[in-house]
Amino acid sequence: MEIEKNYRINSLFAFYQPLLTAKQNNYMQLYYGDDYSLGEIAEEFNVSRQAVYDNLRRTEKILEDYEGKLHLYQEFTARNQQADEIQSYVADHYPHDATLNRLVAGLENLEEQ
């Protein structure tokens, strides 16, 4: 469960990071990206562990609120799933059609940019 939560928060952070404050960005990057403990972050910024914890929880809620309104992560996931299905279908039914395979690969690359 914790791994799934961390993956989701990291994904939301990737989408909505520019909308966060510098402090929110720093705390999230250190905690979720660099695997710092609450104590290490607190020491780095000369604040209490509770202050770091509260900031992280508020920021997680903000990220979830952004996703609830904008659905960027949800739509990205749905597009990727659809692209995977198309790619699989093309590979199964049209393995020798170089143009079609190139076009499908182009769709995959668009999502990565």
Side-chain angles (χ1 to χ4, degrees):
M1 181 67 180
E2 188 70 21
I3 292 172
E4 292 172 10
K5 177 191 174 202
N6 287 350
Y7 180 79
R8 178 169 175 81
I9 295 298
N10 275 319
S11 297
L12 294 178
F13 182 57
F15 278 95
Y16 302 112
Q17 180 179 11
L19 302 176
L20 300 176
T21 67
K23 182 162 68 169
Q24 290 168 332
N25 268 302
N26 289 333
Y27 285 14
M28 293 294 287
Q29 180 59 48
L30 291 172
Y31 188 75
Y32 285 102
D34 300 335
D35 205 27
Y36 276 45
S37 70
L38 296 175
E40 290 170 323
I41 298 170
E43 187 176 310
E44 178 85 17
F45 291 93
N46 199 29
V47 297
S48 70
R49 290 176 77 251
Q50 187 65 45
V52 173
Y53 178 83
D54 291 345
N55 186 286
L56 287 169
R57 293 304 157 263
R58 277 193 310 272
T59 304
E60 290 169 6
K61 183 178 179 341
I62 289 168
L63 292 172
E64 290 290 354
D65 288 346
Y66 286 151
E67 177 61 13
K69 292 174 183 161
L70 301 172
H71 310 289
L72 296 180
Y73 176 63
Q74 177 186 348
E75 291 170 2
F76 172 80
T77 303
R79 280 191 308 274
N80 275 345
Q81 183 177 1
Q82 187 69 41
D84 290 345
E85 289 178 30
I86 292 169
Q87 189 172 38
S88 178
Y89 182 84
V90 168
D92 290 345
H93 294 87
Y94 304 97
H96 303 297
D97 189 332
T99 302
L100 186 55
N101 281 287
R102 181 180 50 78
L103 291 170
V104 170
L107 280 175
E108 290 283 324
N109 292 334
L110 282 177
E111 283 297 326
E112 294 173 6
Q113 294 176 355

